[in-house]
Amino acid sequence: MIRLVKYLLYVLFLPVWWLQILVPRKNDIWVFGAWHGHRYSDNSRSLFLYVKKNHPEIKPIWLTRNKKVVEQVRADGGIAFLANSRQGIWHSLIAKNIFVSCVKNDVNPLFINGANWIQLWHGSPAKKIGRDDKFSNANSFFQKGIVDNFFPFASEYNYHKIVSNASFFSPILASAFGVPQDRIIETGSPRNDVFKSLIENPFNTNLRDKFPNCKILYYLPTFRGTKAVNSIFGLADYDPKKVDTFLEQQNLVLVSKAHYIDNKIDKIDTTQERLVHLADEDVIDINEMLKDADLLITDYSSIYFDYLLTEKPVIFAAFDLAEYIGGNRELPFKYEEVVAGPIVKNWLELFNSLKAIFNNENYKPLIKEKNLLFNKYHDDQNSKRVFDKISY
């Protein structure tokens, strides 16, 4: 019923949508948003900051639905408005380029007709998305026959440009977003520029000061759409005391952060000094912290492809691979063929892998091979390449 009412209102809105093409767009106004308008993060934030710093001829505007984000951007020296405010609507109407990292609702999708819509996305596709995701309604008659044809502002399959990290992912992205492959631009993700920064994140510096000569591990799982176990902390053999003892014996610190959508790890209470669970409010850009880690533990998250740029070891906690593929998301490739590290199913296997991996050189050639395959660029010029592609 709610969807029916929404689309009836969309019908009434259509004349306003088509009249927008009469409003002149300004080449020097660019609008940015991320994560349904609720966060100041991801590729949108990285490109926004790059433009603000390096191109005074461009006026970057951040749109959000969160007043705290407005304050956050302004404290960062940027310009931000609520997406549905008069200023938000006005800048949506006159901006030449609109940048999102998730969906058009990252900004104000109702007032962007006549602009260029650029999908920066939030990582290389580690799982099937969009048109290729059989668990979504992207291929339903309603979506393809009605929404895509009559309500372009509500469709996610008509972007003018989509950013890719490598030629390996370009056809996957084109298929997922239902666009010709010439709309895919292989520039690298703006948020990955930070991996070349030599400045250590203060959070990691404090950990190294507290635990001299320690190895810092980051555990970053992807989200799951089911109520089943969503992380290694829900496994049957998880024993907080054993984990604490192991981390101390091996001089390790384990930092975990749940996916923004599946934000459950944050709820774990712990008094273990060497086990740190980060909440969403603790993190603006996880890559700014992850770049300093000594090892990544993940499962089916695209963060793996980003972390390859460090050429440091990765362990894959794929404890529910069959269940995940069968009930959450299919993968666009065979999992075992793309990973570059040991696959573990429980804590015992994780302990054994951690004991061996830092003294094992065998993973390095495979890491390098996968890095070359999944990341076309290995510098800090991704934001510049995106800017150049869009500007000229």
Side-chain angles (χ1 to χ4, degrees):
M1 182 64 183
I2 294 176
R3 186 169 76 164
L4 176 61
V5 172
K6 180 174 76 172
Y7 278 93
L8 285 174
L9 292 174
Y10 280 172
V11 170
L12 297 176
F13 177 76
L14 282 174
V16 177
W17 172 257
W18 291 113
L19 283 172
Q20 290 174 37
I21 60 176
L22 301 177
V23 180
R25 295 268 169 185
K26 295 187 176 182
N27 292 328
D28 61 345
I29 304 292
W30 293 12
V31 161
F32 298 77
W35 289 98
H36 300 268
H38 297 300
R39 305 183 79 194
Y40 175 47
S41 66
D42 226 293
N43 283 312
S44 296
R45 174 178 174 269
S46 297
L47 185 61
F48 174 84
L49 292 173
Y50 169 83
V51 173
K52 183 170 73 70
K53 178 180 178 180
N54 296 284
H55 292 278
E57 75 278 13
I58 303 295
K59 181 180 180 183
I61 308 292
W62 192 273
L63 294 188
T64 178
R65 288 172 174 74
N66 187 327
K67 290 182 179 179
K68 290 184 178 179
V69 171
V70 172
E71 296 171 2
Q72 191 177 12
V73 177
R74 290 177 179 175
D76 217 7
I79 302 171
F81 304 109
L82 291 174
N84 293 320
S85 68
R86 285 188 303 169
Q87 287 276 34
I89 292 172
W90 173 243
H91 284 93
S92 298
L93 283 168
I94 64 173
K96 181 64 175 178
N97 296 309
I98 307 291
F99 297 88
V100 301
S101 290
C102 215
V103 292
K104 290 198 187 86
N105 206 43
D106 291 359
V107 289
N108 189 327
L110 298 178
F111 298 96
I112 59 175
N113 193 12
N116 296 318
W117 310 333
I118 298 95
Q119 174 60 267
L120 301 172
W121 202 232
H122 47 276
S124 298
K127 38 199 167 278
K128 290 187 178 182
I129 58 174
R131 291 274 197 244
D132 299 328
D133 178 13
K134 74 175 184 180
F135 297 105
S136 77
N137 65 353
N139 291 304
S140 66
F141 170 76
F142 182 77
Q143 178 64 54
K144 296 184 76 171
I146 297 177
V147 176
D148 291 355
N149 289 315
F150 299 103
F151 305 104
F153 47 85
S155 174
E156 296 300 321
Y157 307 101
N158 50 13
Y159 287 99
H160 298 102
K161 297 293 179 184
I162 300 170
V163 164
S164 171
N165 276 316
S167 57
F168 178 91
F169 297 111
S170 295
I172 298 174
L173 287 165
S175 176
F177 283 101
V179 300
Q181 196 162 325
D182 61 7
R183 295 194 190 182
I184 310 299
I185 55 174
E186 294 177 2
T187 58
S189 295
R191 72 180 188 185
N192 286 349
D193 288 343
V194 74
F195 280 106
K196 292 301 177 181
S197 172
L198 299 178
I199 302 173
E200 185 172 58
N201 184 274
F203 173 81
N204 295 310
T205 300
N206 290 337
L207 288 179
R208 296 191 196 281
D209 289 343
K210 187 174 183 180
F211 304 102
N213 303 312
C214 71
K215 298 285 189 183
I216 299 177
L217 324 174
Y218 271 68
Y219 173 54
L220 304 173
T222 193
F223 73 95
R224 289 161 173 76
T226 66
K227 294 182 179 179
V229 174
N230 72 306
S231 81
I232 57 176
F233 299 104
L235 295 177
D237 68 335
Y238 172 58
D239 184 327
K241 291 183 178 179
K242 287 184 179 180
V243 172
D244 197 31
T245 299
F246 178 82
L247 295 176
E248 185 173 1
Q249 288 176 344
Q250 301 295 319
N251 196 15
L252 304 174
V253 178
L254 178 57
V255 181
S256 74
K257 170 69 180 70
H259 191 283
Y260 169 66
I261 293 177
D262 190 16
N263 197 11
K264 297 176 183 177
I265 290 178
D266 304 353
K267 308 298 188 296
I268 296 176
D269 294 323
T270 179
T271 57
Q272 298 163 267
E273 286 190 313
R274 290 175 177 267
L275 177 56
V276 183
H277 296 292
L278 296 174
D280 279 325
E281 56 267 25
D282 299 324
V283 180
I284 294 178
D285 182 347
I286 192 63
N287 282 359
E288 292 179 359
M289 305 169 76
L290 180 62
K291 69 178 178 62
D292 305 320
D294 297 292
L295 178 143
L296 169 67
I297 304 168
T298 189
D299 44 23
Y300 324 111
S301 172
S302 63
I303 201 72
Y304 157 56
F305 300 120
D306 294 354
Y307 190 69
L308 279 171
L309 290 164
T310 69
E311 297 193 349
K312 296 176 184 177
V314 185
I315 295 175
F316 297 87
F319 57 85
D320 60 347
L321 178 58
E323 294 86 348
Y324 185 83
I325 295 173
N328 280 267
R329 291 284 186 90
E330 292 181 300
L331 307 182
F333 35 64
K334 190 173 180 180
Y335 187 73
E336 292 82 359
E337 294 178 357
V338 301
V339 299
I343 298 174
V344 301
K345 302 284 186 173
N346 52 52
W347 278 92
L348 177 59
E349 293 179 1
L350 177 58
F351 288 161
N352 290 335
S353 291
L354 286 171
K355 286 178 183 177
I357 199 164
F358 290 112
N359 296 314
N360 185 352
E361 299 290 315
N362 293 332
Y363 76 87
K364 290 189 175 182
L366 187 58
I367 287 275
K368 289 180 180 291
E369 174 191 323
K370 298 303 183 186
N371 189 19
L372 290 172
L373 178 62
F374 298 135
N375 291 298
K376 183 174 182 177
Y377 300 102
H378 307 91
D379 55 23
D380 59 356
Q381 300 297 302
N382 296 338
S383 295
K384 181 181 186 302
R385 277 187 287 270
V386 174
F387 181 89
D388 291 344
K389 285 282 188 179
I390 301 304
S391 299
Y392 304 106

